[in-house]
Amino acid sequence: MCCGDDCRCRPLGFLLGLPFALLSVLLSLIGIIVWIVGIVLSCICPCCICVTVLVELALGLIKAPIHVMEWFTEQIPC
């Protein structure tokens, strides 16, 4: 069942992606912890470039559940 002409509402893709999204939520929580530590370290030593890379990696982990659900819903045809 589609929710309009462009068929964005795909409940089957959402349901299939839910376990993987829950796993990525756990990774997101780890990303939040890494992000907090990275921000503190960058405040202590702003000249260290590897801390910036660590913070960027943590932001990617935080956004993981959204990317996983988008990917799964795009894979299921209408």
Side-chain angles (χ1 to χ4, degrees), residues 11-48:
L12 184 60
F14 177 79
L15 290 175
L16 289 175
L18 201 55
F20 298 102
L22 292 176
L23 181 63
S24 61
V25 165
L26 294 175
L27 286 175
S28 177
L29 293 175
I30 293 170
I32 290 171
I33 294 169
V34 171
W35 180 72
I36 291 171
V37 170
I39 292 294
V40 169
L41 287 177
S42 68
C43 289
I44 293 171
C45 181
C47 61
C48 188

